[in-house]
Amino acid sequence: MTDPRDHAISVLKENDRGTYTVPTKGLYPFQWNWDSCFTAIGQAHFDEDRAWTEMETLFAHQWDDGMVPHIIFHVHDDGYFPGPDVWQTGRAVRTSGITQPAVAGFALKRLFAMSKDKAMAARRARALLEPIHRWHQWFYTCRDPGAEGLVAIIHPWEAGRDNSIDWDEPFARVPTDGIDPYVRRDTQHADPAHRPTKEQYDRYLWLVQHFRALGWDNNKLHDASPFQVVDPGFNAILIRGCADLSELAGELGAHQIAAANRDWAQKGVGALEALWSEKHGQYLCLDRTTGTLIDSASIGGIMAVIANIPAYRAAAITRTIASEAERTRYVVPSHSLDDPRFDAKRYWRGPVWLVVNYLIAVGLKAAGEDAMAEKIVRSSLELIEKSGFAEYYDPLDGEPLGGRTFTWTAAVVLEFLA
Ligand code: DGY
């Protein structure tokens, strides 16, 4: 194998479409929201200007209400389903109608910290403060109507962890009647055994059609959704995004943005406590429609260490990862091996994702859990040496799974090697 750094850069360049980067060609031929933010961090290692452009392109497609869509369909490509004709969001440049984890605040601060050209970085960061702030405000207005300090996702694709075991129970309540006939494309690019099932796709599409019928009006969607889940990982990313945006805004003199985001972050960290499970040694998802915690120990409750959670919680999470590590060759599996539903090869039901490893390692390091953070980085680098820059990996034998030459995997490897 060539030098991993050179290899990672070549993956990022191969997937670069000029002003945005595709996650991987074939399977994901457009711009994805959180992928792009990680991509920018990777690009900042070798092309600062290009990294800022990646973020700017994403926010150029922010909705008027503040939402930043999860996919931007810059080009026509029949190789992906569901495309813009299914979403029908009525945008000039076509987009999906749901959002994704709010990595932008974290990415912005990281880009600014890494920048060599500070004058350019300050100018471009300043221009992004307000749009990112508006996105955060949108979350707390439209996805936390009860002002609890935690937001709900209304579609599994919003969490990015599409087929997590976390959703099995709440998803069972989503109907499948009346969905338009469709043909999946993902299973033509990746092994169907490593992807979500048809039953899950039916429910993904039912929700899309339901929201579409409501005109994508974010004043209505949260309450109208039969699927409302408070995911600790999703919230932790948003909380960290608020905290980082607050710090950077303060440094750049945008004091109102700094204050509002500091308040959201503080409230969010406090509210996360209600999701802690002593039994599992990690956070769990809350089903907002029933008000109960979901008994499912997934990576969502581990990656919560990216929020500035109390050190004793980070220590407990470290012990939980250590116990999983006794049974897997590679860490961190996306679901606990204690759960009979664990599946080493099926997308978010067991495989290791390097982008999640990155968030966990950053969070653990900040909490002083250096040894586990380093173990996670080592395991990640072993995976790319053995199996290349895959979308995800089998935690038991390291087999590469899903798409190949994957952008965000390459992006975080540049961080691991820095
Ligand atoms: C997909 O199509 O697999 C995506 O995860 C949806 O964003």
Side-chain angles (χ1 to χ4, degrees), residues 28 32 70-71 80-81 100 157 162 195 201 347:
Y28 299 121
W32 262 259
H70 102 293
I71 307 174
Y80 179 80
F81 176 86
Q100 251 184 346
W157 285 340
D162 301 6
R195 295 280 307 171
Y201 256 79
Y347 213 33

PDB file of all heavy atoms in Angstrom, residues 28 32 70-71 80-81 100 157 162 195 201 347, ligand 1:
ATOM      1  N   TYR A  28     -23.166   7.083  -3.774  1.00  0.00           N
ATOM      2  CA  TYR A  28     -23.583   8.415  -3.282  1.00  0.00           C
ATOM      3  C   TYR A  28     -23.043   9.518  -4.186  1.00  0.00           C
ATOM      4  O   TYR A  28     -22.012  10.130  -3.884  1.00  0.00           O
ATOM      5  CB  TYR A  28     -23.073   8.629  -1.854  1.00  0.00           C
ATOM      6  CG  TYR A  28     -23.601   7.619  -0.843  1.00  0.00           C
ATOM      7  CD1 TYR A  28     -22.727   6.820  -0.118  1.00  0.00           C
ATOM      8  CD2 TYR A  28     -24.966   7.491  -0.612  1.00  0.00           C
ATOM      9  CE1 TYR A  28     -23.207   5.902   0.812  1.00  0.00           C
ATOM     10  CE2 TYR A  28     -25.448   6.580   0.306  1.00  0.00           C
ATOM     11  CZ  TYR A  28     -24.566   5.786   1.014  1.00  0.00           C
ATOM     12  OH  TYR A  28     -25.040   4.887   1.929  1.00  0.00           O
ATOM     13  N   TRP A  32     -23.496  15.237   0.476  1.00  0.00           N
ATOM     14  CA  TRP A  32     -24.175  14.912   1.742  1.00  0.00           C
ATOM     15  C   TRP A  32     -23.658  15.850   2.816  1.00  0.00           C
ATOM     16  O   TRP A  32     -22.460  16.160   2.859  1.00  0.00           O
ATOM     17  CB  TRP A  32     -23.916  13.454   2.143  1.00  0.00           C
ATOM     18  CG  TRP A  32     -25.023  12.525   1.755  1.00  0.00           C
ATOM     19  CD1 TRP A  32     -26.007  12.035   2.563  1.00  0.00           C
ATOM     20  CD2 TRP A  32     -25.283  11.965   0.449  1.00  0.00           C
ATOM     21  NE1 TRP A  32     -26.849  11.222   1.851  1.00  0.00           N
ATOM     22  CE2 TRP A  32     -26.440  11.152   0.559  1.00  0.00           C
ATOM     23  CE3 TRP A  32     -24.665  12.066  -0.785  1.00  0.00           C
ATOM     24  CZ2 TRP A  32     -26.986  10.453  -0.513  1.00  0.00           C
ATOM     25  CZ3 TRP A  32     -25.196  11.383  -1.862  1.00  0.00           C
ATOM     26  CH2 TRP A  32     -26.347  10.582  -1.727  1.00  0.00           C
ATOM     27  N   HIS A  70     -30.019  17.318   3.982  1.00  0.00           N
ATOM     28  CA  HIS A  70     -29.022  16.233   4.093  1.00  0.00           C
ATOM     29  C   HIS A  70     -28.386  15.876   2.765  1.00  0.00           C
ATOM     30  O   HIS A  70     -27.241  15.452   2.739  1.00  0.00           O
ATOM     31  CB  HIS A  70     -29.597  15.055   4.879  1.00  0.00           C
ATOM     32  CG  HIS A  70     -30.078  13.847   4.136  1.00  0.00           C
ATOM     33  ND1 HIS A  70     -31.176  13.865   3.300  1.00  0.00           N
ATOM     34  CD2 HIS A  70     -29.632  12.567   4.120  1.00  0.00           C
ATOM     35  CE1 HIS A  70     -31.372  12.639   2.827  1.00  0.00           C
ATOM     36  NE2 HIS A  70     -30.454  11.841   3.303  1.00  0.00           N
ATOM     37  N   ILE A  71     -29.120  16.096   1.651  1.00  0.00           N
ATOM     38  CA  ILE A  71     -28.495  15.855   0.334  1.00  0.00           C
ATOM     39  C   ILE A  71     -28.732  17.072  -0.554  1.00  0.00           C
ATOM     40  O   ILE A  71     -29.840  17.628  -0.565  1.00  0.00           O
ATOM     41  CB  ILE A  71     -29.122  14.661  -0.414  1.00  0.00           C
ATOM     42  CG1 ILE A  71     -29.141  13.388   0.429  1.00  0.00           C
ATOM     43  CG2 ILE A  71     -28.365  14.385  -1.730  1.00  0.00           C
ATOM     44  CD1 ILE A  71     -29.895  12.224  -0.239  1.00  0.00           C
ATOM     45  N   TYR A  80     -28.888   6.864  -8.113  1.00  0.00           N
ATOM     46  CA  TYR A  80     -29.240   6.962  -6.692  1.00  0.00           C
ATOM     47  C   TYR A  80     -30.751   7.015  -6.522  1.00  0.00           C
ATOM     48  O   TYR A  80     -31.453   7.656  -7.295  1.00  0.00           O
ATOM     49  CB  TYR A  80     -28.625   8.217  -6.061  1.00  0.00           C
ATOM     50  CG  TYR A  80     -28.992   8.347  -4.592  1.00  0.00           C
ATOM     51  CD1 TYR A  80     -28.305   7.609  -3.626  1.00  0.00           C
ATOM     52  CD2 TYR A  80     -30.040   9.159  -4.185  1.00  0.00           C
ATOM     53  CE1 TYR A  80     -28.657   7.692  -2.287  1.00  0.00           C
ATOM     54  CE2 TYR A  80     -30.402   9.252  -2.841  1.00  0.00           C
ATOM     55  CZ  TYR A  80     -29.704   8.511  -1.898  1.00  0.00           C
ATOM     56  OH  TYR A  80     -30.061   8.589  -0.581  1.00  0.00           O
ATOM     57  N   PHE A  81     -31.229   6.350  -5.494  1.00  0.00           N
ATOM     58  CA  PHE A  81     -32.646   6.431  -5.131  1.00  0.00           C
ATOM     59  C   PHE A  81     -32.748   6.629  -3.627  1.00  0.00           C
ATOM     60  O   PHE A  81     -32.012   5.962  -2.896  1.00  0.00           O
ATOM     61  CB  PHE A  81     -33.385   5.137  -5.538  1.00  0.00           C
ATOM     62  CG  PHE A  81     -34.812   5.146  -5.083  1.00  0.00           C
ATOM     63  CD1 PHE A  81     -35.801   5.731  -5.854  1.00  0.00           C
ATOM     64  CD2 PHE A  81     -35.167   4.614  -3.837  1.00  0.00           C
ATOM     65  CE1 PHE A  81     -37.108   5.782  -5.407  1.00  0.00           C
ATOM     66  CE2 PHE A  81     -36.478   4.668  -3.386  1.00  0.00           C
ATOM     67  CZ  PHE A  81     -37.442   5.252  -4.178  1.00  0.00           C
ATOM     68  N   GLN A 100     -29.294  16.482   8.756  1.00  0.00           N
ATOM     69  CA  GLN A 100     -28.312  15.488   9.208  1.00  0.00           C
ATOM     70  C   GLN A 100     -27.548  16.036  10.416  1.00  0.00           C
ATOM     71  O   GLN A 100     -27.713  17.207  10.758  1.00  0.00           O
ATOM     72  CB  GLN A 100     -27.351  15.147   8.057  1.00  0.00           C
ATOM     73  CG  GLN A 100     -27.580  13.753   7.523  1.00  0.00           C
ATOM     74  CD  GLN A 100     -26.602  13.321   6.449  1.00  0.00           C
ATOM     75  OE1 GLN A 100     -25.867  14.127   5.886  1.00  0.00           O
ATOM     76  NE2 GLN A 100     -26.616  12.045   6.147  1.00  0.00           N
ATOM     77  N   TRP A 157     -32.659   8.552   8.525  1.00  0.00           N
ATOM     78  CA  TRP A 157     -31.602   9.117   7.677  1.00  0.00           C
ATOM     79  C   TRP A 157     -31.033  10.396   8.270  1.00  0.00           C
ATOM     80  O   TRP A 157     -29.937  10.809   7.926  1.00  0.00           O
ATOM     81  CB  TRP A 157     -32.135   9.386   6.256  1.00  0.00           C
ATOM     82  CG  TRP A 157     -32.308   8.155   5.435  1.00  0.00           C
ATOM     83  CD1 TRP A 157     -31.728   6.932   5.640  1.00  0.00           C
ATOM     84  CD2 TRP A 157     -33.108   8.012   4.242  1.00  0.00           C
ATOM     85  NE1 TRP A 157     -32.123   6.039   4.664  1.00  0.00           N
ATOM     86  CE2 TRP A 157     -32.967   6.679   3.796  1.00  0.00           C
ATOM     87  CE3 TRP A 157     -33.923   8.878   3.518  1.00  0.00           C
ATOM     88  CZ2 TRP A 157     -33.610   6.200   2.641  1.00  0.00           C
ATOM     89  CZ3 TRP A 157     -34.561   8.402   2.380  1.00  0.00           C
ATOM     90  CH2 TRP A 157     -34.411   7.084   1.950  1.00  0.00           C
ATOM     91  N   ASP A 162     -28.679   4.898   9.498  1.00  0.00           N
ATOM     92  CA  ASP A 162     -29.953   4.560   8.871  1.00  0.00           C
ATOM     93  C   ASP A 162     -30.705   3.374   9.467  1.00  0.00           C
ATOM     94  O   ASP A 162     -31.899   3.453   9.685  1.00  0.00           O
ATOM     95  CB  ASP A 162     -29.728   4.252   7.376  1.00  0.00           C
ATOM     96  CG  ASP A 162     -29.118   5.416   6.614  1.00  0.00           C
ATOM     97  OD1 ASP A 162     -28.757   6.429   7.250  1.00  0.00           O
ATOM     98  OD2 ASP A 162     -28.996   5.319   5.389  1.00  0.00           O
ATOM     99  N   ARG A 195     -26.575  -3.879   3.657  1.00  0.00           N
ATOM    100  CA  ARG A 195     -27.402  -2.668   3.571  1.00  0.00           C
ATOM    101  C   ARG A 195     -28.715  -2.862   4.355  1.00  0.00           C
ATOM    102  O   ARG A 195     -29.047  -3.972   4.764  1.00  0.00           O
ATOM    103  CB  ARG A 195     -27.734  -2.378   2.089  1.00  0.00           C
ATOM    104  CG  ARG A 195     -26.537  -2.030   1.210  1.00  0.00           C
ATOM    105  CD  ARG A 195     -26.091  -0.599   1.363  1.00  0.00           C
ATOM    106  NE  ARG A 195     -27.170   0.358   1.175  1.00  0.00           N
ATOM    107  CZ  ARG A 195     -27.045   1.667   1.440  1.00  0.00           C
ATOM    108  NH1 ARG A 195     -25.906   2.159   1.868  1.00  0.00           N
ATOM    109  NH2 ARG A 195     -28.068   2.480   1.272  1.00  0.00           N
ATOM    110  N   TYR A 201     -36.626   0.097   4.034  1.00  0.00           N
ATOM    111  CA  TYR A 201     -36.768   1.063   2.933  1.00  0.00           C
ATOM    112  C   TYR A 201     -38.220   1.495   2.765  1.00  0.00           C
ATOM    113  O   TYR A 201     -38.505   2.664   2.519  1.00  0.00           O
ATOM    114  CB  TYR A 201     -36.181   0.501   1.621  1.00  0.00           C
ATOM    115  CG  TYR A 201     -34.848   1.144   1.315  1.00  0.00           C
ATOM    116  CD1 TYR A 201     -33.693   0.714   1.967  1.00  0.00           C
ATOM    117  CD2 TYR A 201     -34.741   2.218   0.430  1.00  0.00           C
ATOM    118  CE1 TYR A 201     -32.477   1.320   1.739  1.00  0.00           C
ATOM    119  CE2 TYR A 201     -33.527   2.838   0.198  1.00  0.00           C
ATOM    120  CZ  TYR A 201     -32.397   2.386   0.849  1.00  0.00           C
ATOM    121  OH  TYR A 201     -31.192   3.010   0.633  1.00  0.00           O
ATOM    122  N   TYR A 347     -24.275  -2.666   7.966  1.00  0.00           N
ATOM    123  CA  TYR A 347     -24.363  -1.195   8.007  1.00  0.00           C
ATOM    124  C   TYR A 347     -24.202  -0.664   9.435  1.00  0.00           C
ATOM    125  O   TYR A 347     -23.116  -0.711   9.986  1.00  0.00           O
ATOM    126  CB  TYR A 347     -25.698  -0.815   7.359  1.00  0.00           C
ATOM    127  CG  TYR A 347     -25.741   0.499   6.596  1.00  0.00           C
ATOM    128  CD1 TYR A 347     -24.652   1.004   5.892  1.00  0.00           C
ATOM    129  CD2 TYR A 347     -26.929   1.237   6.549  1.00  0.00           C
ATOM    130  CE1 TYR A 347     -24.746   2.204   5.181  1.00  0.00           C
ATOM    131  CE2 TYR A 347     -27.036   2.434   5.839  1.00  0.00           C
ATOM    132  CZ  TYR A 347     -25.944   2.912   5.164  1.00  0.00           C
ATOM    133  OH  TYR A 347     -26.054   4.080   4.464  1.00  0.00           O
TER     134      TYR A 347
HETATM  135  C1  DGY B   1     -28.687   6.337   1.796  1.00  0.00           C
HETATM  136  O1  DGY B   1     -29.289   6.567   0.747  1.00  0.00           O
HETATM  137  O2  DGY B   1     -28.212   5.242   2.093  1.00  0.00           O
HETATM  138  C2  DGY B   1     -28.417   7.420   2.712  1.00  0.00           C
HETATM  139  O3  DGY B   1     -27.872   7.009   3.896  1.00  0.00           O
HETATM  140  C3  DGY B   1     -29.575   8.333   2.916  1.00  0.00           C
HETATM  141  O4  DGY B   1     -28.978   9.529   3.231  1.00  0.00           O
END
